[in-house]
Amino acid sequence: MFVLVGVTGGIAAYKTVHLVRALVLDGHEVHVIPTEDALRFVGRPTWEAISRHPVTTSVHDDVAQVRHVALGQQADLIVVAPATANFLAKFAAGLADDLLGTSLLATTAPVVVAPAMHTEMWRHPATTQNVEVLRARGVHVIGPDSGALTGGDVGPGRMSEPDAIHAYVAGLLAGEDPEGTRAKSLDGVRVLVTAGGTREPIDPVRYIGNRSSGKQGIAVATAAADRGAEVTVVLAHVDSDVLREASAHRSITLERAGTAAELGDAVARLAPSADVIVMAAAVADYRVEDASETKISKDSTDGALHLTLVETADVLAATTAARRTGQTIVGFAAETEPDPDIRIERARRKRERKGVDILALNEVGWTKGFESTDNTLSLIGADGAVLATVSGTKRETAEALWDAVLAVRGT
Ligand code: CTP
C-alpha cells in the first residue's frame, strides 16, 4: 500500500521515525512529508534513510511530476504524526501552503491525525473546534495520551505511542474501520442526557451549587451524537467552553434547567420518548426551604445566617420508577470514599436503590474528577458486576460508557 506520513513541527517527531520504520517493515511504500518546522526536530536524511524515498516539503520541487497532488492522489492512507495545534488549524481551514497541505486536499484516502501539544493548547476552544471539524469530515483522531509533556508538566497532549498509531493505521489499511461500527452504533436511538450542576437559590443573588463543569455529561452527549443518536441534553450550569462545544453539535438539542426542580420537570417531560437516559448531572440533594424574594442583608441576620435545607426530589429514582419497556437508564455516582472496595460496594447499593441498568462510579475529591479533562469511571451492571473500569479523557470514558450501554441493550 502507498502510505504518506505527514510530520509537523513538534518534538514527538522523533517517535514518528519508529512509525515510519514499522510501516516500511510491513511492506508498504512509505513517503514522508514533513513541514519545514518538522525538519528542525528531525532532519531530511533521517526521513529519507528510513522511508527509502526522497523527502521534500515544498510544492515547488519536482513540479514536472505534479508532485503537489500526485502523492495525495496515489495515497491509500495519510497519517500525520505528530499533528500540532497549528497544523490542525490549517487542516481544518483547508490551507495548502506546503506539500503536506496540498497532499491532504488532493486525497480521498483515509486520514489519521495524532495530535501532540501542551495541555493548554489541546484544551483551547480553537483546537477543540478544529478537531470537531476534522472529525465531522471523517478524519480519524488518535490520542492524545495523558502523561509527561516536554517541560515537565503532566496532562493530556502527549502523542499516542508509535506502536498504537501503527496498530490503528494497520487496521485501517487492512480494511477495518475502527470507528465505522461505532459511528453507526446508536443510529436512530433517542438519547436523553442531563449534564452540569444545578444551582439552588438562597435569594435572587446567591445560590448553593456544586463543582460540576458538565464536561463528562457533554462528552457522553457528543459521543452519542457522533454514533448517530438523536440527543437531547438537559443542561444545568456548565462551564462556558463546555456550553460552546455542546451548542456546536448539530445533532444535539439543548434545554436549560437551573434548579433540581426544573431539571426534574424537563426530564419528566422528555424521558417517555427516550430510549436511553443518562443522568450525568450533579443534581442538588438539598434546596433552601424558603428562598428569600429579596437579597438577604447582613442587617437582618445578626452575625449568622441560618438556612433550612430540605431534600429535593430524586429525579433519577422517579425516572426509573416510570420507565417503559426497552428503556436503558444510566446513573452517575460521585464518591469521595478513598477505599476502592468500599467505594464499589457503595456504588452497588446505590445502583440497586436507584434501579438503574448501569451506575457510572466516579471517584471525586478536592483535586479529582471535577473540571479536569480526564476521568476514571467504573461501570456497575445490573447484577452488581463491574462491567469496565476506564481511565482517560472524558470523551474516552464516554465511549466506554456507550459500549457498555450497547452491551446491556444487546445491540
Ligand atoms: N440524582 C437525581 N436527583 C437528585 C439527586 C441525584 O436524579 N435529586 C441523580 C444524579 O444525577 C446521579 C445519581 O442520582 O445520576 C446519583 O446521585 P447521588 O447524589 O450520588 O445519589 P444519592 O442517592 O443522593 O446518594 P448519596 O446519599 O450518596 O448522596
Side-chain angles (χ1 to χ4, degrees), residues 194 260 263 279-285 312-317 330-335 346 350 353-354 359:
T194 64
L263 188 133
M279 285 284 292
V283 186
D285 288 328
T312 56
D314 190 323
V315 181
L316 183 54
V330 180
F332 268 71
E335 302 286 355
R346 276 181 63 84
K350 193 171 283 188
R353 198 168 65 238
K354 302 257 182 183
L359 189 92

Side-chain angles (χ1 to χ4, degrees), residues 138-155:
V139 171
H140 302 266
V141 182
I142 175 165
D145 289 349
S146 262
L149 303 168
T150 326
D153 37 349
V154 175

Side-chain angles (χ1 to χ4, degrees), residues 99-402:
L99 187 61
L100 180 57
T102 57
S103 302
L104 284 163
L105 292 195
T107 197
T108 54
V111 176
V112 180
V113 296
M117 65 200 72
H118 278 274
T119 305
E120 294 79 359
M121 297 173 81
W122 174 245
R123 285 185 180 153
H124 193 282
T127 306
T128 308
Q129 276 175 4
N130 291 329
V131 170
E132 282 305 316
V133 165
L134 294 174
R135 278 193 211 271
R137 285 186 197 145
V139 171
H140 302 266
V141 182
I142 175 165
D145 289 349
S146 262
L149 303 168
T150 326
D153 37 349
V154 175
R158 228 176 121 85
M159 188 175 85
S160 290
E161 288 307 316
D163 284 349
I165 304 173
H166 174 234
Y168 190 98
V169 165
L172 278 177
L173 288 168
E176 291 164 18
D177 182 353
E179 280 123 26
T181 33
R182 207 171 235 191
K184 292 188 180 57
S185 60
L186 288 169
D187 241 1
V189 177
R190 293 162 304 171
V191 167
L192 175 64
V193 179
T194 64
T198 63
R199 290 178 166 182
E200 307 304 318
I202 298 171
D203 65 21
V205 180
R206 307 179 179 97
Y207 58 83
I208 297 176
N210 60 66
R211 287 179 57 205
S212 169
S213 63
K215 279 195 181 105
Q216 183 66 70
I218 293 305
V220 167
T222 45
D226 288 345
R227 290 172 178 232
E230 290 166 35
V231 183
T232 303
V233 180
V234 178
L235 203 61
H237 176 76
V238 296
D239 286 359
S240 56
D241 54 333
V242 177
L243 179 59
R244 218 174 297 126
E245 188 187 341
S247 316
H249 207 296
R250 58 191 147 68
S251 327
I252 296 182
T253 309
L254 294 180
E255 178 140 348
R256 301 305 298 261
T259 62
E262 285 168 13
L263 188 133
D265 289 346
V267 170
R269 183 163 38 80
L270 297 165
S273 52
D275 302 308
V276 182
I277 301 164
V278 181
M279 285 284 292
V283 186
D285 288 328
Y286 302 94
R287 66 175 175 80
V288 178
E289 187 173 31
D290 291 307
S292 171
E293 284 303 320
T294 51
K295 186 182 167 196
I296 299 168
S297 154
K298 273 190 282 190
D299 295 343
S300 64
T301 54
D302 204 17
L305 172 63
H306 297 279
L307 296 171
T308 305
L309 301 182
V310 291
E311 276 189 23
T312 56
D314 190 323
V315 181
L316 183 54
T319 310
T320 51
R323 87 157 76 201
R324 58 170 178 76
T325 326
Q327 258 181 348
T328 310
I329 304 180
V330 180
F332 268 71
E335 302 286 355
T336 50
E337 168 60 53
D339 183 311
D341 295 335
I342 302 177
R343 204 164 56 231
I344 294 275
E345 205 34 56
R346 276 181 63 84
R348 283 195 177 114
R349 287 202 299 274
K350 193 171 283 188
R351 192 211 62 76
E352 243 183 275
R353 198 168 65 238
K354 302 257 182 183
V356 291
D357 299 289
I358 298 174
L359 189 92
L361 167 65
N362 201 358
E363 193 197 350
V364 296
W366 293 112
T367 56
K368 242 187 229 157
F370 297 113
E371 292 130 20
S372 68
T373 309
D374 288 8
N375 204 8
T376 298
L377 290 185
S378 294
L379 306 174
I380 320 281
D383 52 359
V386 180
L387 304 174
T389 296
V390 275
S391 292
T393 61
K394 287 184 174 170
R395 172 66 184 226
E396 284 160 355
T397 51
E399 296 290 0
L401 185 140
W402 285 115

